[in-house]
Amino acid sequence: QVQLVESGGGLVQAGGSLSLSCAASGRLFSINVLGWYRQAPGKQRELVATVTSAGIINYVDGVKGRFTISRDNAKNTVYLQMNSLKPEDTAVYYCRADSFGIFWGQGTQVTVSS
């Protein structure tokens, strides 16, 4: 099993910044991809950014240039730095680990006011 605990969400004004963290524990050796997803009210959960164990990074088009995903393998933690936030970034943000299965964190709320 892999356990994921997110932190760092909150309320920010448009144009502001927030940083999310996700600490992983458990069968860490098996984790290939770590990523961030988000789900806005009434919408499906969508990919935000992923980073593989080899450091290959992928972003959804809408956050490119504003969000930065990083991974600290020594701390078993993945981060998401979010800059120039927009009201449409408001969602619950989830950490996900792709291992011998798929594991999700509990989610952290990000609210961007206009």
Side-chain angles (χ1 to χ4, degrees):
Q1 294 291 325
V2 174
Q3 294 79 41
L4 303 169
V5 178
E6 301 107 332
S7 60
L11 172 65
V12 66
Q13 289 188 331
S17 299
L18 280 175
S19 180
L20 305 182
S21 299
C22 173
S25 61
R27 295 182 62 177
L28 303 173
F29 64 91
S30 64
I31 295 177
N32 179 19
V33 182
L34 285 168
W36 290 96
Y37 290 69
R38 65 187 179 187
Q39 187 166 17
K43 295 186 177 181
Q44 290 188 332
R45 193 171 298 187
E46 64 172 0
L47 178 148
V48 176
T50 59
V51 55
T52 72
S53 56
I56 299 171
I57 290 174
N58 179 51
Y59 296 100
V60 68
D61 286 345
V63 306
K64 287 180 179 177
R66 300 189 298 122
F67 290 12
T68 302
I69 190 171
S70 61
R71 178 172 177 168
D72 187 334
N73 290 325
K75 295 183 178 180
N76 303 313
T77 301
V78 61
Y79 305 93
L80 186 68
Q81 177 64 41
M82 304 184 291
N83 299 327
S84 302
L85 282 161
K86 304 175 181 180
E88 51 264 43
D89 294 318
T90 295
V92 177
Y93 283 69
Y94 296 91
C95 180
R96 167 174 152 167
D98 289 21
S99 175
F100 50 91
I102 295 175
F103 301 90
W104 294 94
Q106 81 285 358
T108 184
Q109 177 70 46
V110 171
T111 303
V112 184
S113 63
S114 56

